C-alpha cells in the first residue's frame, strides 16, 4: 500500500505528463477518425485499464513480486490520464461542432452544462453503489465486493453504452462539418426586405402605384 502523499504528488505528476502525451498521440493518430470509432476505441481502452485496478484489488501484483507503488505508478497512474484525454478530446470537438452559428455561447454553455451535470449524477450514483455494496474504508474496512463493483461500473456499464452510439453520435469524421451554417436566408419574417436592401434594391413607392 501507499500513503496519500504518494497518491497526490508523485502519481499526479506522472498523470499530468502522460495526459500531455495522450493529447499528442490523439492529435497525431486519431484526429481524423470518425466520432463513433473514437468512442468505441476509448471505451474499450477504459475497460482494459480497469484491469489494473482488478489486479491490485485481488493482490495479483504482490503474487508476482511487484509492489503496489510501482504497479499503480506504471499502471493506472500512467494509462488512466492518457485514456481520459483520448475520451475528452472528441467529446469537446463534437460539442463545438454541434453549436450553430450565431448561438455559440448559449449552445456551448448548455451542452457543457449537461456534460457536467451527467458527471455529477454519475459520481453520486457511484457513491450510492459503493455504500450499497457494503464497501467501507473506515475500521473495520470491508472490500469484499470491490472487485464486483469495479467489473460492473468500469467494464459492463461502459460497454452497454456502445450500442447507443448508433443513435446519439453522428457517423461523421472529426474533420467534417456536422451542422450546415451556410444559410442564405435571414432568420426573420422581414428577410426578403432585408435582402433587397442589402442588394441595393429600392423599396417600391406606394404613391407610384
Amino acid at each position: 500500500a501507499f500513503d496519500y502523499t504518494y497518491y497526490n504528488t508523485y502519481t499526479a505528476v506522472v498523470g499530468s505528463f502522460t495526459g500531455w502525451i495522450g493529447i499528442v498521440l490523439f492529435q497525431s493518430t486519431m484526429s481524423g477518425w470518425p466520432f463513433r470509432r473514437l468512442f468505441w476505441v476509448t471505451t474499450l481502452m477504459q475497460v482494459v485499464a480497469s484491469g489494473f485496478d482488478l489486479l491490485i484489488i485481488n493482490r495479483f501484483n504482490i503474487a508476482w513480486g511487484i509492489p503496489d507503488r510501482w504497479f499503480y505508478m506504471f499502471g493506472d497512474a500512467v494509462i488512466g490520464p492518457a485514456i481520459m484525454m483520448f475520451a475528452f478530446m472528441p467529446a469537446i470537438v463534437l460539442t463545438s461542432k454541434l453549436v450553430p452559428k450565431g448561438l455559440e455561447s448559449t449552445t456551448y454553455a448548455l451542452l457543457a452544462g449537461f456534460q457536467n451535470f451527467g458527471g455529477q449524477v454519475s459520481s453520486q450514483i457511484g457513491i450510492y453503489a459503493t455504500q450499497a455494496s457494503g464497501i467501507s474504508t473506515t475500521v473495520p474496512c470491508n472490500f469484499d465486493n470491490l472487485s464486483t463493483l469495479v467489473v460492473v461500473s468500469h467494464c459492463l456499464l461502459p460497454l452497454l453504452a456502445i450500442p447507443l452510439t448508433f443513435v446519439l453520435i453522428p457517423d461523421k469524421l472529426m474533420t467534417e462539418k456536422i451542422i450546415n451554417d451556410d444559410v442564405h436566408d435571414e432568420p426573420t419574417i422581414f428577410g426578403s426586405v432585408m435582402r433587397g436592401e442589402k442588394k441595393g434594391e429600392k423599396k417600391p413607392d406606394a404613391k407610384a402605384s
Side-chain angles (χ1 to χ4, degrees), residues 79-96:
I79 298 177
I83 296 177
M84 183 183 68
M85 286 300 170
F86 290 154
F88 178 75
M89 293 296 290
I92 293 299
V93 173
L94 179 60
T95 301
S96 63

Side-chain angles (χ1 to χ4, degrees), residues 2-16 69 73:
F2 44 84
D3 53 18
Y4 282 106
T5 302
Y6 181 86
Y7 177 79
N8 291 323
T9 54
Y10 300 109
T11 59
V13 172
V14 174
S16 299
R69 287 173 175 262
M73 177 67 73

Side-chain angles (χ1 to χ4, degrees), residues 100-115:
K101 187 176 182 181
L103 297 173
E104 290 86 353
S105 300
T106 303
T107 308
Y108 190 85
L110 183 63
L111 293 175
F114 276 116
Q115 290 179 345

